[in-house]
Amino acid sequence: MTRLKTEWIDYMLEGMNSYNENLKSRTGFDLKSLVMDTFGISEQRYDSYASKLLVAAVPVTQGEGIIGSFSESVCAIVRSMGFRTFVPDETDVDGLYSAILVDADIIYMADDTRYLAFSRDNGSFGENNYSTALGFIMVLRAMMKRADLDISKEKILVLGNGLVGEEAVQILLGHDVDFDMYDKDPKAVEAFNRLETGKYVLSSPDEIKNYKYILDFTNEGEWLKDEMLGENVIYASPGVPLSLDDKASERLQKTSVYDNLEIGTAMMLGEILKTMP
Ligand code: 2YJ
């Protein structure tokens, strides 16, 4: 699993307006409307949650410790969706206690293996691997829709059967979306084949060229060179770090979405909001 770095996320502290504008120009959705659309929450219902719920992000020192600006970036994302947010001065259990004392309704916390948000009001939660997979599937679907394409009628390529890719596979299978799989790691391919989905597994990265609609959950960085991609590709990836080389990311500028934390964090909130009356 990739550990986030401060320089990958600290632009969020000031940059969420332009992030949301950018996302909207490519998908038709900002983070708020993406959550409303995914979970079938009306704007009126959403705004009533945003006006009454306080969200805290508690820094966690366990393992490799605090990532500078991680909790603040989580708060910047959630604030850009209209919610009030709070980062306690304290960390870990003491920080959790501070969040409880100020009556935070929803609490975000991450250690090196798990990134969670949970509701103190009803016990519901959002988990980042699943939420990231769902979010990027929704983003690919939205970009395809703008090109007059229906995700359920086309073949998607999933790159990477790791922690997030695995969740995406389950979501795609559950919604009957057709896809093929590529992973360079034979162990990940083995794990995929054990599912007996009957889906095709690419035998070489040269075959990536044959696909137009790509969900990329790999985390190696800069391995996906421009010449490995076909024409008119629509591409969505939590890319931490980004797989595309400079030339590819330039070419796909208008038909790609990738981010380091935003969409997963937004969808975690949606998982909680959808359970609220
Ligand atoms: O509180 C902090 O500052 C740290 N304990 C945050 C740790 C963040 N966790 C990670 O970077 C993990 N690798 C999980 C990230 C999941 C993103 N998909």
Side-chain angles (χ1 to χ4, degrees):
M1 179 178 302
T2 315
R3 182 169 162 85
L4 293 167
K5 294 189 180 143
T6 301
E7 61 268 32
W8 294 348
I9 54 177
D10 62 358
Y11 67 88
M12 293 170 204
L13 302 180
E14 304 297 334
M16 285 309 299
N17 281 347
S18 60
Y19 173 89
N20 275 297
E21 276 165 28
N22 228 311
L23 184 64
K24 198 162 186 171
S25 75
R26 286 158 209 223
T27 64
F29 295 109
D30 58 13
L31 291 174
K32 172 183 168 180
S33 54
L34 184 67
V35 162
M36 285 170 18
D37 183 69
T38 303
F39 297 101
I41 300 171
S42 70
E43 180 144 36
Q44 190 190 17
R45 201 177 133 207
Y46 182 100
D47 288 345
S48 83
Y49 300 144
S51 66
K52 66 175 186 248
L53 302 177
L54 175 64
V55 178
V58 176
V60 172
T61 63
Q62 183 267 355
E64 294 191 53
I66 297 208
I67 298 173
S69 89
F70 178 80
S71 300
E72 291 76 10
S73 296
V74 169
C75 283
I77 295 164
V78 173
R79 243 184 352 263
S80 84
M81 301 169 72
F83 284 75
R84 289 175 298 127
T85 67
F86 166 78
V87 180
D89 291 335
E90 300 77 12
T91 67
D92 306 288
V93 178
D94 201 24
L96 186 54
Y97 182 57
S98 290
I100 292 168
L101 287 185
V102 298
D103 225 9
D105 298 282
I106 294 170
I107 298 176
Y108 280 80
M109 298 179 92
D111 65 13
D112 297 338
T113 49
R114 196 65 70 184
Y115 173 26
L116 268 193
F118 59 93
S119 159
R120 292 183 54 230
D121 305 330
N122 73 0
S124 62
F125 68 93
E127 190 276 327
N128 185 254
N129 293 334
Y130 173 84
S131 293
T132 301
L134 178 61
F136 280 90
I137 291 170
M138 294 308 287
V139 158
L140 184 72
R141 174 176 174 261
M143 283 193 288
M144 290 177 71
K145 204 165 163 192
R146 292 197 121 197
D148 251 342
L149 295 158
D150 179 347
I151 193 170
S152 61
K153 297 206 171 87
E154 307 292 334
K155 192 186 284 282
I156 310 300
L157 175 62
V158 176
L159 299 176
N161 188 44
L163 293 170
V164 182
E166 256 171 18
E167 298 285 3
V169 162
Q170 290 306 325
I171 297 167
L172 295 172
L173 289 172
H175 287 83
D176 236 354
V177 176
D178 194 15
F179 67 94
D180 292 345
M181 166 64 75
Y182 172 72
D183 196 306
K184 69 165 191 171
D185 177 2
K187 282 211 178 86
V189 170
E190 239 171 71
F192 180 74
N193 285 335
R194 274 199 298 275
L195 298 175
E196 296 185 356
T197 61
K199 304 289 182 199
Y200 177 67
V201 179
L202 279 59
S203 47
S204 147
D206 298 342
E207 294 175 63
I208 294 172
K209 252 202 180 78
N210 304 332
Y211 295 84
K212 279 190 179 356
Y213 316 116
I214 300 179
L215 281 167
D216 179 359
F217 300 109
T218 65
N219 60 1
E220 201 178 280
E222 295 205 36
W223 66 274
L224 198 48
K225 313 280 179 218
D226 187 60
E227 58 272 20
M228 295 167 72
L229 293 165
E231 293 301 309
N232 301 321
V233 168
I234 303 181
Y235 174 92
S237 174
V240 197
L242 179 64
S243 310
L244 300 178
D245 70 358
D246 287 348
K247 203 168 163 201
S249 83
E250 178 85 1
R251 176 157 71 92
L252 301 189
Q253 213 191 5
K254 292 208 169 89
T255 56
S256 60
V257 168
Y258 37 86
D259 75 30
N260 294 337
L261 195 62
E262 295 91 328
I263 288 169
T265 297
M267 300 302 269
M268 290 159 75
L269 184 63
E271 286 291 335
I272 293 172
L273 300 182
K274 78 169 186 200
T275 67
M276 296 196 158

